[in-house]
């Protein structure tokens, strides 16, 4: 559409790249596929943006939205409730691990992360520890774009324009075992080292100043870093020892992406807070949530207590109705079980690409994978900034899309291709992904 460049300001987009051409415009979706304005079909290898977990074209979700809009299109959760928010909060609490029973709705992931940091700070102020305000997170990790969430984010490239940020963000090593700076031959020892780095950071800052640790079950940015064995068990011990809250940022990793409703369940750890969004509605309406333990709400249950935070559209009636309908689809079709049953096949299909000289590492879990690209498989030499620019933006992003695969070619860490298809994906989709990647990556290597 020619007028897209005249008025539409796209997110995280180099607008100048479309100065001489049309903006790709997606007009329809069905199952695991989307179609553009010219009628070309693409396999949605990223579920939109790790969002469309139930797949495209679910008319029952659209109908749930229309029905709710006809009954009650909007009412705020400021001192009032509405039925769908109550019902959805109860449903979420039934699925969370442990005593995570308090659901604070937002409209998306950044807001959920923002709410979690604000809750951590407010909680410690109300329990006599007002100096505990800092947060620990990992290098290259993405936690959102609002000013608080951006301060937790570990990507310098998307922060510099907006500095100075909210003070208190502390960064520690991530769990990229492929490039482990310590214990590169022992995943368990590496996991212990990486977890202990969190403890060392808390000690350096002073335990009486640190409120929370924010970690994704599988770190998205950088290319899908799973936790090494024992990592989260050790992190939980450290948080308990220093009276620090463990926040599991599951904006991507919840709602079946890792073969469980929540990533914390997949890896067997108990967080104090879960942040979530994206797949909760499969993208059919915007919704997010901060889910907190009963303990964290206790200081706000006094006669005059209040968590002085809120957003206009948090827990929107239409979005809550869509989320409930979405979870009905999950239950009826056992989408979470479908991921567990097929994740090994997805991994095995992607691992076929190891025979290509440009493929260094294939990593991830569930339906959430990163493929790291290298110049030399033996030495694991990566591409420099100029080479990465030519490889990813100069060729791969466009070539993969033209070949019929929508996915992410990303160099916020080392160059990777990320894949997170809808949870309905099966072997035929895995094969299609592998075949397109094989063809395009082979051409990319020939161009180097």
């Amino acid at each position: 559409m020619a007028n897209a460049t005249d008025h539409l300001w796209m997110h995280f987009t180099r607008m100048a790249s479309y100065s001489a051409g049309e903006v790709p415009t997606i007009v329809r979706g069905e199952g695991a596929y989307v179609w553009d304005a010219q009628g070309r079909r693409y396999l949605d290898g990223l579920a939109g943006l790790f969002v469309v977990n139930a797949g495209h074209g679910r008319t029952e979700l659209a109908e749930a939205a229309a029905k709710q809009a006809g009954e009650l299109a909007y009412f705020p959760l400021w001192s009032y409730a509405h039925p769908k928010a109550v019902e959805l909060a109860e449903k979420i609490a039934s699925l969370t691990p442990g005593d995570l029973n308090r659901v604070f709705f937002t409209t998306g992931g950044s807001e959920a992360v923002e709410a979690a940091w604000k809750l951590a700070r407010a909680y410690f102020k109300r329990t006599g520890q007002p100096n505990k305000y800092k947060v620990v997170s990992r290098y290259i990790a993405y936690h959102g774009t609002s000013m608080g969430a951006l301060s937790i984010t570990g990507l310098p490239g998307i922060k510099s324009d907006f500095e100075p940020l909210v003070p208190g963000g502390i960064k520690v090593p991530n769990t990229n075992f492929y490039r482990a700076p310590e214990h590169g031959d022992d995943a368990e020892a590496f996991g212990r080292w990486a977890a202990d780095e969190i403890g060392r950071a808390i000690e350096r800052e002073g335990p009486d100043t640190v409120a929370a640790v924010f970690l994704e079950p599988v770190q998205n940015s950088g290319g899908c870093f799973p936790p090494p064995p024992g990592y989260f068990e050790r992190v939980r011990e450290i948080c308990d020892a220093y009276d620090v809250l463990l926040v599991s940022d599951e904006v991507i990793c919840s709602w079946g992406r890792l073969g469980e409703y929540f990533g914390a369940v997949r890896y067997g750890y108990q967080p104090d807070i879960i942040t979530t969004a994206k797949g909760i509605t499969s993208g059919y309406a915007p919704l997010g949530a901060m889910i907190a333990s009963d303990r964290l709400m206790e200081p706000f249950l006094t006669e005059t207590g209040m968590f002085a935070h809120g957003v206009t559209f948090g827990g929107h009636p239409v979005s809550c109705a869509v989320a409930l309908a979405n979870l009905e689809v999950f239950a009826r079709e056992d989408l979470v079980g479908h991921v567990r049953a097929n994740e090994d096949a997805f991994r095995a299909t992607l691992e076929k690409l190891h025979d290509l000289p440009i493929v260094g590492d294939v990593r991830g879990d569930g339906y959430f994978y990163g493929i790291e690209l290298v110049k030399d498989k033996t030495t694991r030499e990566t591409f420099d900034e100029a080479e990465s620019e030519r490889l990813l933006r100069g060729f791969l992003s466009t070539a993969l899309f033209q070949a019929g695969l929508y996915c992410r070619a990303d160099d916020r860490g080392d160059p990777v291709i990320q894949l997170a298809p809808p949870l309905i994906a099966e072997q035929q989709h895995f094969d299609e992904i592998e075949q397109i990647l094989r063809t395009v990556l082979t051409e990319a290597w020939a161009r180097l």
Side-chain angles (χ1 to χ4, degrees), residues 176-179 222-223 225 354 356-363 369-375 377 380-383 410 413-418 441:
N176 182 1
F177 185 56
Y178 184 67
R179 298 197 175 277
F225 305 143
H354 269 305
L356 299 180
I358 198 172
V359 172
D361 193 27
V362 176
R363 55 181 177 253
Y369 274 86
I371 299 171
E372 183 168 336
L373 308 179
V374 294
K375 287 172 66 175
K377 291 171 75 84
R380 302 185 181 183
E381 180 185 0
T382 190
F383 300 90
D410 191 17
D414 294 304
V416 296
I417 291 173
Q418 281 188 289
L441 290 175

Side-chain angles (χ1 to χ4, degrees), residues 263-277:
V265 175
R266 165 91 191 218
Y267 300 118
Y269 64 94
Q270 180 60 52
D272 300 292
I273 299 173
I274 287 176
T275 54
T276 187

